[in-house]
Amino acid sequence: MMVVGGIDLGGSKIETTAFTAHWQVLATRRVPTPATSYDNLLAVLAEEIAWLKGQSSEVSFPIGVGTPGLNARTHGFSFAANLEGGARNLKQDLSDRVGQVIWFENDANCFALSEALLGAGRGHGTVFGLILGTGVGGGYVVNGRLLDDLNGASGEVGHLGIPAALVRQLDLPLFRCGCGQTGCYETLLSGPGLARLHTHFGGTTASPREIAARDAAGEPVATRALSAWIDLLASLVAALQATYDPRAVVIGGGLSNLPNLTERLEANLPEKMLPKTQAPALQIAEHGDSSGAWGAALAAQAAWQV
């Protein structure tokens, strides 16, 4: 039986899943991500691949790994701030260790691919997968394939700058981003960003879930913070529509669970978009935090067939 393997390599956990060629889950497991050394990370990933191979009688089959950060198309080096190894060539090192090519893809691209082909974006043709969590990022899928971009960075929309007009209109604070720039969407649209908005407008330290609950209870500061956050999100989706022009935007990450998110976004979006343009379909992701393994397997299968 043909098997396809997907590994979601995160900062705290590694999820490994074996799929049939028809995308039924054969087996899945999670292990902690080692934090001690690059060699330990390689060893654990090799163990996960050995476990995958134990699910099939095939000597080799497509195996993909989804990772945070950049996976350069040209030289194969990866970089992620929350993983060991810095700018090491993890793809080449792992492939050499296990004796077959292992495909690597950015985790946000994996999310987009899984939702476009097998999730909430099915049937839309062009889908932007937007992750709103600890960070903000995404990936763009056109007719079942990711963009063949130069650096694997085409979905790094969290590092676009917030428009100056919106900063003035909403009295937004500006923060330095982890990318080195100031005023990126990620600084205010991420989970920590929503908390920053709440404290900026005079609230106490609170999580996004607590802010949403306080908004529902009618607390003015929470309502102002969440309304500003929705404005920011609508502005970013309008920017996506003016550049990528997807037929659907699928939203994932922890903030996708905020109450009535798509309804509030749909109400706010028209005034932000270019005149006489149609808004994309707005969907909440189906696969949740397992989308990385699904997308990594899909990317590996596509590359295997080339």
Side-chain angles (χ1 to χ4, degrees):
M1 179 174 58
M2 182 64 176
V3 171
V4 184
I7 300 175
D8 181 19
L9 171 57
S12 61
K13 58 89 177 172
I14 299 172
E15 179 172 337
T16 305
T17 304
F19 302 91
T20 70
H22 300 291
W23 301 106
Q24 296 172 312
V25 174
L26 284 174
T28 188
R29 72 176 188 176
R30 291 186 177 189
V31 299
T33 303
T36 53
S37 74
Y38 180 71
D39 287 341
N40 283 348
L41 177 60
L42 267 180
V44 170
L45 288 173
E47 288 173 8
E48 292 306 291
I49 291 170
W51 178 82
L52 278 172
K53 290 190 173 184
Q55 311 304 313
S56 173
S57 59
E58 298 286 337
V59 175
S60 63
F61 51 84
I63 297 174
V65 180
T67 69
L70 295 177
N71 294 284
R73 309 287 194 218
T74 51
H75 50 64
F77 284 79
S78 300
F79 174 79
N82 61 343
L83 291 174
E84 292 292 330
R88 301 281 288 274
N89 196 329
L90 184 57
K91 174 182 177 180
Q92 189 62 56
D93 292 344
L94 183 60
S95 297
D96 290 344
R97 184 159 185 153
V98 301
Q100 77 165 73
V101 174
I102 305 298
W103 283 270
F104 274 66
E105 188 53 75
N106 170 267
D107 57 355
N109 283 340
C110 289
F111 164 77
L113 196 60
S114 69
E115 291 296 331
L117 294 182
L118 300 172
R122 284 187 303 265
H124 285 286
T126 54
V127 177
F128 195 96
L130 180 62
I131 297 177
L132 304 173
T134 305
V136 174
Y140 190 45
V141 178
V142 179
N143 297 325
R145 291 190 176 273
L146 292 164
L147 289 182
D148 185 19
D149 50 4
L150 177 62
N151 295 297
S154 60
E156 295 289 344
V157 296
H159 300 295
L160 297 176
I162 300 169
L166 200 59
V167 172
R168 289 194 299 269
Q169 175 191 340
L170 300 177
D171 182 28
L172 299 176
L174 293 177
F175 294 95
R176 187 170 176 82
C177 182
C179 73
Q181 304 299 314
T182 297
C184 295
Y185 274 102
E186 181 169 291
T187 62
L188 295 180
L189 262 185
S190 61
L194 177 53
R196 284 170 169 168
L197 285 171
H198 189 250
T199 57
H200 171 71
F201 292 131
T204 57
T205 301
S207 69
R209 185 188 299 271
E210 291 167 338
I211 294 167
R214 294 176 187 182
D215 168 58
E219 182 182 293
V221 172
T223 296
R224 183 179 180 186
L226 197 53
S227 295
W229 187 86
I230 292 289
D231 263 323
L232 280 163
L233 179 56
S235 173
L236 179 57
V237 171
L240 294 178
Q241 199 67 3
T243 49
Y244 294 99
D245 200 23
R247 294 182 180 275
V249 173
V250 180
I251 303 172
L255 294 177
S256 68
N257 297 315
L258 290 174
N260 305 314
L261 176 59
T262 55
E263 292 83 356
R264 295 185 71 167
L265 182 55
E266 285 169 353
N268 194 292
L269 187 56
E271 67 185 45
K272 303 285 195 305
M273 293 182 57
L274 292 172
K276 299 182 180 180
T277 57
Q278 182 178 346
L282 300 173
Q283 307 285 349
I284 301 300
E286 289 184 11
H287 292 144
D289 65 355
S290 293
S291 62
W294 284 81
L298 282 161
Q301 186 192 55
W304 183 274
Q305 294 171 343
V306 172

